[in-house]
């Protein structure tokens, strides 16, 4: 799989996922689509037991959702979710929460908004102590 905002590295039984959407790891439609695709891939990969998620940016795990895209999506029926009471970020977090693998977030830097929703879906979250 070749993604724009997600970099993958696989070792036996473990998939390392690095979030990379410079300059501040902004969660946008591309990242959400790629993370949905990745969760579908992981559902099929029973040989992978652990997924470790980190960020290419030491200052931001995920800054927040792109507010310009959010506003544009409010008036675009194609952007509407399947369930009117659940937005795409919530659905993504639910997908990740239900993966068969153990998910570990290595969180350095800021995590806000939709990034926090995603991080809370992981089985474990590890952070470094204050710098």
């Amino acid at each position: 799989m070749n993604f724009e905002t997600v970099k993958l590295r696989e070792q036996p039984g473990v998939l390392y996922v690095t979030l990379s959407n410079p300059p501040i790891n902004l969660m946008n439609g591309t990242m959400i689509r790629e993370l949905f695709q990745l969760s579908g891939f992981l559902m099929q990969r029973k040989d992978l037991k652990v997924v470790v998620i980190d960020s290419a940016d030491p200052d931001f795990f995920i800054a927040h959702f792109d507010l310009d895209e959010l506003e544009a999506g409010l008036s675009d029926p194609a952007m509407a979710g399947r369930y009117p009471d659940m937005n795409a970020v919530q659905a993504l977090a639910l997908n990740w929460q239900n993966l068969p693998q153990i998910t570990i977030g290595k969180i350095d830097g800021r995590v806000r908004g939709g990034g926090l929703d995603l991080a809370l879906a992981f089985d474990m979250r590890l952070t470094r102590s204050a710098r």
Side-chain angles (χ1 to χ4, degrees), residues 73-127:
L74 293 175
S75 60
D76 182 356
M79 297 289 286
R82 182 174 179 184
Y83 305 102
D85 56 341
M86 183 182 297
N87 66 41
V89 175
Q90 292 166 326
L92 178 66
L94 201 56
N95 264 24
W96 277 78
Q97 185 177 13
N98 290 303
L99 287 175
Q101 293 84 6
I102 295 169
T103 52
I104 303 169
K106 287 177 57 179
I107 300 171
D108 284 330
R110 298 169 188 92
V111 57
R112 297 185 178 135
L116 182 58
D117 288 344
L118 181 63
L120 290 173
F122 302 151
D123 296 308
M124 292 179 251
R125 291 156 299 283
L126 308 172
T127 60

Side-chain angles (χ1 to χ4, degrees), residues 18-91:
T18 299
L19 305 172
S20 180
N21 195 17
I24 60 169
N25 252 6
L26 195 62
M27 182 180 271
N28 61 9
T30 301
M31 182 182 279
I32 285 180
R33 280 188 299 280
E34 292 177 353
L35 289 171
F36 267 118
Q37 289 172 358
L38 181 56
S39 68
F41 167 78
L42 289 168
M43 289 296 234
Q44 306 304 313
R45 290 290 306 269
K46 304 299 182 197
D47 61 311
L48 292 173
K49 304 298 181 196
V50 178
V51 180
V52 179
I53 304 98
D54 66 4
S55 171
D57 187 330
D59 294 323
F60 294 93
F61 182 75
I62 296 178
H64 55 78
F65 192 82
D66 184 338
L67 298 177
D68 290 333
E69 281 193 26
L70 180 65
E71 185 178 358
L74 293 175
S75 60
D76 182 356
M79 297 289 286
R82 182 174 179 184
Y83 305 102
D85 56 341
M86 183 182 297
N87 66 41
V89 175
Q90 292 166 326

